[in-house]
Every structure is written in C-alpha cells, then in structure tokens.
Amino acid sequence: MQRIHLYQLGPRAYQLSRKKEIFKRNFQDRLHHTQFAETYSDSLLPHVINRHNSLIRRKLGDVDQQLQENKAVNLALAAPKLNKILIRPNETFSFWHLVGECTTEKGYQEGLTISGNHPSSGIGGGMCQMTNLIHWMILHSSLTITEHHHHGRIDLFPDFGRQVPFGTGTSIVYNYLDYRVTNNTLDTFQLIITTDDRYLRGELRADHPQPLKFHVYEQDSWFSWEADGAYRHNIVRLKAINKDSGLVAFDRELITNHAKVMYDPQYIDPTLFRQ
C-alpha cells in the first residue's frame, strides 16, 4: 500500500505539515549550533570572483505575465536582505535565514512557483530565480554547497534565452528546503545582490585572489520521445583550472538529468531529438 503523507490530506493538513517541517528545521539549527552568516559590509571586498545577471521578465511558455511583474516586486524586496552579506570562514550562508518568510504583510505578491511538478503561483513566488543566480556564482568558487535541491526530474520551460546549462537551478520552500553554503576556506567572501528594471544582478567577491578558475559546462545534451512524452537529457560538469600553472585541478560531474518536458514540445528544435 502506498504511503499517504500528511500534506496530501488537504489544505489544513498541508499547513500542519508545513509548520512541523519549519519547527524541525529551526530545532536542528539550534541543536547543531549552526554559525550563520549575518554580518554586512558596505565596503566591497576587492576581488570579483564571478558576476552574473538574470533577466527578470522572461517568456516562459504560457505563464501569466502578471506573475512575472509580481516576481519583480518580490525580488526587489528580498535583494536587500542579501546584498553585501559577508560569508566569513566557518560561517554558513542560508538563504531563508537572511530573507525570512515571504508574506503579504511584508509586501510580497503572488508570483510563479512550482507545485506538484507543474508551474503554479504563491505569495513570494520567484525566489528560486534568486537562489539560481547565487548558486551559479557559488559554483565558480571554492565555497562548499551544503544544501541544494533542484527540479531534476522536470523540464518546465522552453529555452528562451537560456544562458546557463539546464539542471543548474534550485528549488526552495521556506524554510525546510533551503539553499546553504559553508565557507571552509581561510578567505572571506561577499555577495552583492541588486535589482533594476530589467535584471537581477549578482556578484561574488573575496578578500583575496583565488587560485582556481571554474568552468561549468554541459555535455551530451539531447531529447527523446518516451511512452509518456518528451524527455530532456544532459550532463552538467564542473572543471577547475589552476590559474598559475594552467593545469586542470579536477573535472567532475555535477549532475545527470533525465527530465520530463512539461511544455509543448513544439518549442524544441526537432534536430535535438534522438531515437
């Protein structure tokens, strides 16, 4: 017999399950004495490790454009909570610890979310674009990713202007699905996160030059037809090169994706399909 989870029994049961998970996460953090990054500095650290811009309003299949407008509001509210945060040695950056719960009382609006492997909407929707941006920059550093969830089993949107490989995104839910990074180095890092009319903008800085240069790339990308529809396949790899010697320090697989396409396959280039 298939197990029925509490959150599947209706809205009230879902809220009870959610409160239980939030309590459990808070208890675990206190139990483990997690040392969170909480210090901000108006002085920018001198060395730019990586910078990336993410277009806020994008064509995403048939998604309601108003959800994109609301997402812009949500991102603008959350960005100052992260901007200029320092991640010092032995500290852990937690997205939800800094941003807090997104509520209507704080001004957050109904934006795009993912529910049951499908696009949906909810208050504060769009925060995953923020963690996507941060994750992409962190991948280009020596910081250690200690919590990361992603939508590896579904391909939600066509590649309209995609700049990064599929499968490098994030999935977050306050506060028990978090995005966390721990600084196990001797250097201090700093995140710069801002928004303007078009872009979510990010920089990752450090107090010292970094010995490695990182490159995230896609390998063996293709689509296939299966019994229940189209699927996307790819491998995402991370390569690190020593800046002084030019030698490859490592070249490892980050993730292999086998994801069901959730949008109209007409948006896919037919030449990308394999038998």
Side-chain angles (χ1 to χ4, degrees), residues 154-166:
I154 52 174
D155 180 11
L156 283 168
F157 304 114
D159 288 352
F160 292 118
R162 180 185 294 275
Q163 295 180 317
V164 302
F166 171 77

Side-chain angles (χ1 to χ4, degrees), residues 100-143:
E101 187 171 7
C102 301
T103 65
T104 54
E105 290 77 14
K106 296 177 182 178
Y108 288 94
Q109 300 183 13
E110 187 174 7
L112 181 67
T113 61
I114 308 301
S115 177
N117 290 345
H118 292 279
S120 184
S121 62
I123 299 301
M127 289 298 103
C128 62
Q129 184 170 349
M130 187 86 76
T131 49
N132 288 352
L133 175 87
I134 295 169
H135 180 56
W136 180 252
M137 295 190 296
I138 295 297
L139 285 174
H140 292 81
S141 78
S142 54
L143 291 168

Side-chain angles (χ1 to χ4, degrees), residues 13-23 101 174 176:
Y14 170 78
Q15 290 301 324
L16 180 61
S17 176
R18 180 173 177 273
K19 289 180 180 179
K20 180 196 72 173
E21 293 299 325
I22 292 172
F23 173 82
E101 187 171 7
Y174 181 82
Y176 48 92

